Amino acid sequence: MMALVAIVLMTASCSKGNENAKAIPMDAPVVVKADLKSLAEKGALKDNKELQTQMQESLKSLSPALQAKAKAVIDDPMEAGFALQQPMFFAVADADKDQYVVAIGVDDKKKVDELFKSMKDDCKTMKITEGDDQTVIDDEDMQIAYNGDLFVATVGAKNAATLLTQDKDKSILSQDKYEKMLEGTNDIDAYIDYAALTKTASKFSKQAANAAIDKLTEGMYIIANVNFEEKEAVINTEFFGNKEFLKLCEEIENKPSGDYLKLAPADAYVVAQCGVKDFDKIKEILPKAETEQIDQQLKAMGLSIDQILKAIEGDILISVAPNGSQPMPQISFALACKDQKVWEAITKTAEPMGQGMLEKKDANSYTAKVQALAGMDYTISYDGKAIVITPVTAPAKNFNDNENAKVVKDGGFFIDMQQIMSNQQVKGMAGKDGEKLADIQSISGTSGGTKGQYKVTFNKPGNALATIIKMTQK
């Protein structure tokens, strides 16, 4: 049943109306609004011959009645009876219990009736109950309910009939926190309750929740949207709902202050750079017992946690680049260190551990032989602002000469997937799965305060969504 419903929804031909959202529970931790018309056009589903062939092949095992109906729907999605010109809503009703809801408008109830009646020979567990105002369908842990206006499907709960007829004041339409998502006109708009998902992640990882972080993220949610453009999938995110967290985001600035991008070689395939200020505010959210333990350990080095946090305000940079014929890459690194005493304590602790691998050049410079990285020699130095680690053989040209430098100049990351996948060691580890990523050119992201933007760029012509669908088929 779900397979055919998926075919219908993915071959759709959207208005900005949100009436269908009345079926979504008012406390749903994740809600996604999808513009089916835009997704269908950008996905170029009708032009995807391979997908069409796969869909036709999948029908051969079905009963004659369902084959006939499915072929009619594939040729003309409106034959399914759904109002595909309206937005579709998908929601996680309860993340802990794996409960989901799908809501979409109904354009022609008779055609929807025909769709599900054609499934009876194939879906032996399906039970159809027809009423005067609505039809309810039960199939194992799934329930469907629909009338002349709306179609609702639930998984993991048998409450589709209740959601179908509930008042708007019991839905997300009555809650201000969903408003920006509902107003969105992107290919996909989403509301994500960060705290709820964090608790669920802790449950599955079997790790104890962090009370300080739970307090910090209480009431926090993310509004995100996705647009598929020519060769690019663009994701925008923004945090809302928790004044304490939002204030912290604004206080901890992520724009770098120095020109450490010059440490990254021009041909680096991974570059990440950011900056921080007021970093000592992070201490406020750390568990007190752990903070005190770290503080005790630092005191043995003649330092304190406050001193460390204050010292590392500023720039952080890491880059990964090819290393000639060596299988392992070369890494350049910079970590802000404004306090000379912090640098001295680190080197004092590291010297006995060097055992011939750490050679002192002067008060603020060392040469290290790092056997783990193909015996490469590194220079470890301190310039008064940051601890800098670079290969001795680092090339003269730096990432500032690369056209992608603008992505990370003011804080962000850049990953060149083509260079990574061309590495023989990576290619061998990835195997056939690596071939599925061959169409991705790069992944990049920038963020500031409470907002972020992330891009996946493809090297194939055509819209990004069409490329993603073909990658998924592989």
Side-chain angles (χ1 to χ4, degrees), residues 243-311:
K243 292 181 180 179
E244 186 178 349
F245 178 83
L246 299 181
K247 183 181 178 183
L248 184 64
C249 287
E250 295 295 343
E251 289 176 336
I252 300 176
E253 185 59 55
N254 74 330
K255 289 187 177 180
S257 57
D259 186 23
Y260 290 102
L261 197 59
K262 62 188 178 185
L263 297 177
D267 58 350
Y269 46 73
V270 176
V271 179
Q273 180 177 239
C274 68
V276 292
K277 68 178 184 180
D278 296 331
F279 205 69
D280 55 329
K281 292 184 181 296
I282 292 293
K283 184 181 176 183
E284 297 172 15
I285 68 170
L286 296 174
K288 190 174 180 181
E290 292 180 22
T291 305
E292 291 176 349
Q293 185 179 4
I294 294 170
D295 217 19
Q296 288 296 321
Q297 292 170 343
L298 289 171
K299 282 180 180 178
M301 298 170 61
L303 300 171
S304 69
I305 193 169
D306 291 311
Q307 194 174 2
I308 290 286
L309 292 174
K310 200 67 181 174

Side-chain angles (χ1 to χ4, degrees), residues 98-401:
D98 294 332
Q99 295 179 352
Y100 309 96
V101 180
V102 176
I104 188 170
V106 171
D107 190 54
D108 188 329
K109 186 176 182 296
K110 288 185 177 179
K111 289 183 177 179
V112 180
D113 289 336
E114 292 171 4
L115 175 67
F116 287 103
K117 286 178 180 177
S118 68
M119 299 181 187
K120 292 185 76 173
D121 290 339
D122 296 78
C123 303
K124 302 296 184 182
T125 58
M126 186 174 71
K127 179 184 177 183
I128 300 177
T129 304
E130 295 185 85
D132 294 334
D133 300 321
Q134 66 179 25
T135 299
V136 178
I137 302 172
D138 287 288
D139 185 11
E140 296 180 338
D141 69 338
M142 178 179 180
Q143 186 179 78
I144 286 173
Y146 62 92
N147 53 29
D149 300 311
L150 185 62
F151 169 96
V152 180
T154 59
V155 177
K158 295 296 185 74
N159 60 342
T162 303
L163 295 175
L164 177 68
T165 58
Q166 73 175 2
D167 295 331
K168 289 183 179 180
D169 60 6
K170 293 182 180 179
S171 74
I172 60 173
L173 294 173
S174 67
Q175 303 296 305
D176 292 341
K177 61 185 180 180
Y178 299 96
E179 188 173 350
K180 281 188 174 291
M181 179 273 296
L182 291 168
E183 290 176 349
T185 57
N186 303 282
D187 292 337
I188 296 173
D189 292 282
Y191 164 93
I192 304 166
D193 183 326
Y194 184 86
L197 293 186
T198 301
K199 289 176 182 176
T200 302
S202 297
K203 174 186 173 183
F204 282 108
S205 64
K206 296 181 180 179
Q207 291 183 346
N210 186 314
I213 292 178
D214 286 347
K215 181 182 177 182
L216 182 71
T217 59
E218 186 177 0
M220 190 178 77
Y221 60 93
I222 304 168
I223 299 296
N225 64 67
V226 184
N227 280 302
F228 299 98
E229 301 173 0
E230 191 71 17
K231 288 192 175 184
E232 278 188 343
V234 182
I235 305 165
N236 291 289
T237 63
E238 186 171 1
F239 288 99
F240 294 92
N242 185 300
K243 292 181 180 179
E244 186 178 349
F245 178 83
L246 299 181
K247 183 181 178 183
L248 184 64
C249 287
E250 295 295 343
E251 289 176 336
I252 300 176
E253 185 59 55
N254 74 330
K255 289 187 177 180
S257 57
D259 186 23
Y260 290 102
L261 197 59
K262 62 188 178 185
L263 297 177
D267 58 350
Y269 46 73
V270 176
V271 179
Q273 180 177 239
C274 68
V276 292
K277 68 178 184 180
D278 296 331
F279 205 69
D280 55 329
K281 292 184 181 296
I282 292 293
K283 184 181 176 183
E284 297 172 15
I285 68 170
L286 296 174
K288 190 174 180 181
E290 292 180 22
T291 305
E292 291 176 349
Q293 185 179 4
I294 294 170
D295 217 19
Q296 288 296 321
Q297 292 170 343
L298 289 171
K299 282 180 180 178
M301 298 170 61
L303 300 171
S304 69
I305 193 169
D306 291 311
Q307 194 174 2
I308 290 286
L309 292 174
K310 200 67 181 174
I312 63 176
E313 285 187 9
D315 294 278
I316 299 170
L317 175 136
I318 185 168
S319 72
V320 183
N323 183 21
S325 60
Q326 299 286 353
M328 294 298 290
Q330 65 175 37
I331 300 172
S332 300
F333 184 79
L335 174 65
C337 181
K338 294 181 179 179
D339 192 333
Q340 176 85 19
K341 290 181 180 179
V342 172
W343 162 252
E344 290 172 354
I346 291 171
T347 54
K348 185 178 179 181
T349 305
E351 280 178 345
M353 298 167 62
Q355 297 178 353
M357 293 169 57
L358 193 66
E359 179 186 336
K360 188 171 184 177
K361 295 175 67 177
D362 54 53
N364 292 321
S365 182
Y366 291 78
T367 297
K369 295 182 182 295
V370 186
Q371 300 298 326
L373 296 180
M376 192 186 305
D377 289 353
Y378 273 78
T379 296
I380 304 173
S381 60
Y382 176 60
D383 68 356
K385 294 181 180 179
I387 297 170
V388 176
I389 304 174
T390 54
V392 172
T393 56
K397 282 193 173 184
N398 60 63
F399 199 70
N400 277 328
D401 302 314

